[in-house]
């Protein structure tokens, strides 16, 4: 019976009347499809629709899916920042009907389970941050930055302080200055010193009574923990500014160091990075923020609060900056985050960070012998190697090495970031990889560096499409396929 209803529903949904939604035309240049897809991958004749067997269709799509690298099929040294392993248990829990079937307009009384999950999430994030007040609303890390800066701006306005400038280290992630600008602040860069840490003299020289916020990623984008952080916070607080911690690298310090304890006044988390939310293709994510007590009244509304034996959404927050996201944020991502946190527990989270740091240091100790690592002999959860010698001596670019890794069964690490390292390769193995995998990766990288230049310039050799035109793909994406173009 159920089956018949489902079939009926699918049938209804597939009626032509419903499908005939007109999408707006895309204003992009069209190129014939056979110019874009290699001849070997284009069928000689159209499939004999609709008479195709299910196995044929299944095989077609499964085979297509294996053309991609994924974290389930290959090692991805992109790390927590991009592609940490996503435990399957989170997906099973998130697809349980009691969660997956919820509607955002349901009254609080009928979603007590989900509200409890979110409340628990707020509490656990507060504990890990060492900061008392949490909003789960922002939709991504960058959105968390913006929300926290708007929260800080509301606080400054409310307390009559005219503070206009956000300071950032020169290795900051691009979203930091972008968020500061969108929030209406001016930005100013602080230099890094020779060790790749904040140059304290330069910071001190740039701080004054117009300083609103100093944004810092710690551990930083070079994979180094800035041990001067307490002194940095002191300097910022002395002029009345606030310290913002970009929490994208929390994978290295969970359960070991709390931002609130080392001087941060506000921070964001990236649950889709640190807490293993799946985010292939750029989304969805979440960007919860945690702040000190005096900023709490300005956080977005609503927050989840305990009410007697139950939970409710609290909208009665007169100083709040208001909503920054529809409904309650990306609850599916937040639910997976809570699964991950409960699965590990406090001790487990600490072990995640310890193993992430151990794995990165093991790989660093192998890679540095054939690819220079300019900053430091020890790292946190990631390290940045430089291909600048390969480039200057042989004309081999970091991009060539990255592409050749595909032929050897590895996804490339993050390349050309941070900008302060020439020909950068940012390598982050994460905590879930074993020694054999790390050894195989180090070996592949070593062999690649020894290979003839032309093999590298033309890599990858084993993938269906070799090197797409990335500039064209970013600037002029072809979003729609038209059969006759
Ligand atoms: C990923 C990242 C961000 C932005 O987070 P999103 O969730 O991608 O918006 C900010 N800072 C650093 C250091 C990051 O790695």
């Amino acid at each position: 019976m159920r089956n018949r209803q489902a079939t009926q529903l699918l049938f209804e949904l597939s009626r032509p009347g419903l499908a005939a939604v007109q999408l707006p035309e895309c204003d992009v240049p069209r190129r014939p499809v056979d110019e874009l897809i290699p001849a070997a991958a284009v069928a000689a004749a159209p499939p004999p629709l609709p008479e195709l067997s299910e196995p044929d269709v299944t095989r077609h799509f499964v085979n297509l899916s294996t053309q991609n690298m994924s974290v389930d099929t290959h090692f991805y040294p992109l790390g927590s920042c991009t592609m940490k392993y996503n435990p399957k248990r989170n997906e099973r829990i998130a697809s349980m009907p009691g969660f997956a079937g919820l509607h955002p307009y349901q009254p609080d009384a009928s979603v007590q389970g989900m509200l409890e999950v979110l409340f628990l999430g707020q509490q656990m994030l507060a504990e890990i941050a060492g900061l008392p007040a949490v909003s789960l609303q922002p939709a991504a890390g960058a959105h968390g930055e913006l929300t926290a800066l708007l929260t800080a701006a509301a606080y400054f306005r409310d307390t009559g302080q005219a503070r206009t400038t956000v300071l950032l280290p020169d290795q900051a992630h691009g979203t930091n200055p972008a968020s500061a600008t969108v929030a209406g602040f001016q930005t100013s860069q602080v230099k890094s010193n020779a060790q790749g840490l904040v140059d304290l003299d330069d910071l001190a020289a740039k701080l004054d009574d117009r300083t609103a916020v100093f944004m810092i990623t710690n551990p930083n984008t070079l994979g180094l923990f800035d041990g001067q952080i307490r002194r940095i916070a002191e300097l910022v607080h002395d002029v009345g500014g606030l310290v913002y911690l970009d929490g994208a690298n929390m994978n290295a310090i969970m359960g070991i160091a709390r931002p609130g304890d080392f001087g941060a006044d506000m921070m964001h988390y990236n649950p889709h990075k640190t807490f293993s939310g799946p985010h292939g293709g750029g989304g969805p994510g979440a960007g919860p923020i945690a702040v000190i007590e005096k900023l709490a009244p300005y956080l977005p509304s609503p927050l989840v609060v305990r009410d007697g034996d139950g939970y409710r959404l609290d909208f009665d927050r007169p100083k709040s900056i208001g909503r920054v996201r529809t409904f309650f944020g990306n609850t599916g991502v937040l639910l997976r985050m809570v699964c991950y946190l409960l699965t590990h527990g406090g001790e487990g989270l600490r072990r995640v960070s310890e193993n992430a740091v151990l794995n990165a240091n093991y790989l660093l100790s192998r890679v540095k012998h054939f690819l220079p690592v300019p900053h430091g002999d020890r790292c946190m959860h990631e390290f940045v190697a430089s291909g600048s010698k390969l480039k200057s001596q042989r004309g081999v670019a970091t991009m060539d090495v990255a592409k050749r890794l595909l032929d050897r069964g590895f996804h490339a690490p993050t390349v050309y970031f941070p900008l302060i390292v020439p020909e950068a390769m940012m390598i982050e193995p994460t905590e879930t990889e074993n020694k054999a995998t790390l050894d195989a990766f180090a070996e592949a990288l070593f062999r690649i560096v020894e290979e003839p230049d032309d093999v590298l310039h033309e890599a990858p050799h084993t993938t269906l499409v070799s090197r797409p035109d990335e500039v064209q793909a970013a600037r002029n994406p072809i979003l729609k396929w038209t059969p006759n173009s």
Side-chain angles (χ1 to χ4, degrees):
M1 183 60 203
R2 250 215 204 124
N3 244 333
R4 269 192 46 208
Q5 277 172 353
T7 315
Q8 185 67 24
L9 180 65
L10 285 171
F11 183 72
E12 294 277 324
L13 288 173
S14 64
R15 276 185 316 175
L18 281 171
V21 180
Q22 279 294 318
L23 289 174
E25 279 295 314
C26 298
D27 182 18
V28 292
R30 298 208 175 123
R31 281 163 61 197
V33 72
D34 43 357
E35 227 181 71
L36 300 165
I37 300 175
V42 180
L49 289 172
E51 289 86 12
L52 272 180
S53 72
E54 181 172 325
D56 284 343
V57 174
T58 303
R59 281 170 204 152
H60 174 72
F61 285 108
V62 170
N63 286 333
L64 273 186
S65 74
T66 62
Q67 300 290 325
N68 260 336
M69 294 213 148
S70 79
V71 80
D72 286 346
T73 56
H74 296 85
F75 174 48
Y76 257 60
L78 290 172
S80 65
C81 197
T82 306
M83 201 52 80
K84 174 163 155 167
Y85 178 70
N86 311 144
K88 300 297 170 266
R89 140 196 287 223
N90 296 357
E91 300 310 307
R92 280 202 294 278
I93 293 170
S95 57
M96 283 159 59
F99 290 125
L102 294 181
H103 192 283
Y105 280 130
Q106 279 179 238
D108 290 0
S110 72
V111 290
Q112 285 295 302
M114 191 68 204
L115 289 179
E116 185 175 351
V117 165
L118 296 174
F119 184 76
L120 209 57
Q122 288 176 180
Q123 283 188 312
M124 289 190 289
L125 293 188
E127 178 61 31
I128 298 166
L131 293 166
V134 170
S135 165
L136 301 175
Q137 228 178 84
H143 195 206
E145 293 165 20
L146 175 64
T147 304
L149 290 171
L150 291 174
T151 301
Y155 160 76
F156 288 134
R157 225 174 10 252
D158 197 34
T159 50
Q161 304 182 54
R163 295 180 178 271
T164 50
T165 312
V166 168
L167 300 178
L168 313 119
D170 55 10
Q171 47 166 293
H173 192 272
T175 53
N176 293 180
S179 299
T181 306
V182 175
F185 292 101
Q186 278 143 25
T187 60
S188 175
Q189 244 184 36
V190 177
K191 281 194 296 210
S192 297
N193 63 23
Q195 292 90 53
L197 306 173
V198 173
D199 182 327
L200 287 188
D201 294 335
D202 196 44
L203 173 64
K206 285 177 179 149
L207 286 168
D208 59 28
D209 59 5
R210 283 163 304 169
T211 305
V213 177
F214 177 61
M215 298 180 88
I216 181 169
T217 310
N218 201 18
N220 67 21
T221 56
L222 294 167
L224 305 174
F225 188 85
D226 199 324
Q228 318 168 101
I229 186 68
R230 277 221 166 99
R231 178 76 191 123
I232 290 171
E234 222 171 75
L235 290 170
V236 176
H237 292 152
D238 279 352
V239 299
L242 296 170
V243 175
Y244 182 86
L245 181 102
D246 178 327
N249 291 341
M250 284 300 286
N251 212 45
I253 59 169
M254 290 184 293
I256 298 169
R258 304 196 310 170
D261 296 343
F262 59 63
D265 301 297
M266 39 186 184
M267 68 169 289
H268 77 257
Y269 290 93
N270 308 66
H272 47 293
K273 297 178 176 178
T274 315
F275 306 129
S276 80
H279 65 303
I289 57 174
V291 299
I292 51 173
E293 201 68 57
K294 71 177 179 190
L295 296 175
Y298 309 93
L299 284 176
S301 197
L303 300 179
V304 184
V305 294
R306 200 167 216 150
D307 190 2
D309 287 341
Y311 302 88
R312 67 179 170 80
L313 294 174
D314 180 20
F315 290 90
D316 184 20
R317 310 186 55 252
K319 293 195 166 182
S320 165
I321 60 167
R323 253 183 207 292
V324 296
R325 179 75 173 75
T326 49
F327 302 116
F328 205 76
N330 284 338
T331 50
V333 179
L334 299 168
L335 171 60
R336 287 167 176 84
M337 170 187 85
V338 170
C339 292
Y340 184 82
L341 291 172
L342 289 176
T343 302
H344 284 292
E347 260 313 300
L349 274 190
R350 186 190 173 101
R351 289 224 309 281
V352 163
S353 288
E354 286 169 351
N355 285 333
V357 172
L358 181 65
N359 275 356
N361 276 284
Y362 178 70
L363 208 46
L364 165 63
S365 75
R366 297 208 55 184
V367 168
K368 70 180 178 189
H369 299 295
F370 52 89
L371 269 180
V373 177
H375 295 283
D377 224 27
R378 287 282 176 273
C379 63
M380 295 296 289
H381 61 307
E382 67 189 8
F383 62 93
V384 182
S386 170
S388 64
K389 261 201 197 137
L390 285 177
K391 183 73 192 254
S392 61
Q393 293 172 359
R394 295 170 44 191
V396 169
T398 278
M399 186 59 82
D400 298 333
V401 175
K403 294 292 182 190
R404 184 64 174 148
L405 275 167
L406 295 170
D407 289 332
R408 294 189 173 270
F410 294 101
H411 195 281
T414 300
V415 292
Y416 299 109
F417 183 82
L419 304 174
I420 60 168
V421 175
E423 297 294 313
M425 265 175 253
M426 181 201 268
I427 300 176
E428 182 187 352
T430 75
E431 65 283 357
T432 48
E433 302 301 334
N434 62 27
K435 181 170 174 294
T437 303
L438 301 180
D439 284 334
F441 177 73
E443 170 129 358
L445 208 49
F446 175 68
R447 285 179 187 278
I448 288 170
V449 170
E450 301 280 295
E451 281 184 309
D453 299 354
D454 52 343
V455 172
L456 301 181
H457 291 319
E458 278 151 37
H461 302 271
T462 55
T463 55
L464 194 55
V465 176
S466 182
R467 291 200 194 193
D469 182 342
E470 286 170 15
V471 175
Q472 177 82 359
R475 302 265 160 84
N476 279 319
I478 298 177
L479 302 172
K480 190 174 161 193
W481 178 65
T482 30
N484 298 323
S485 65

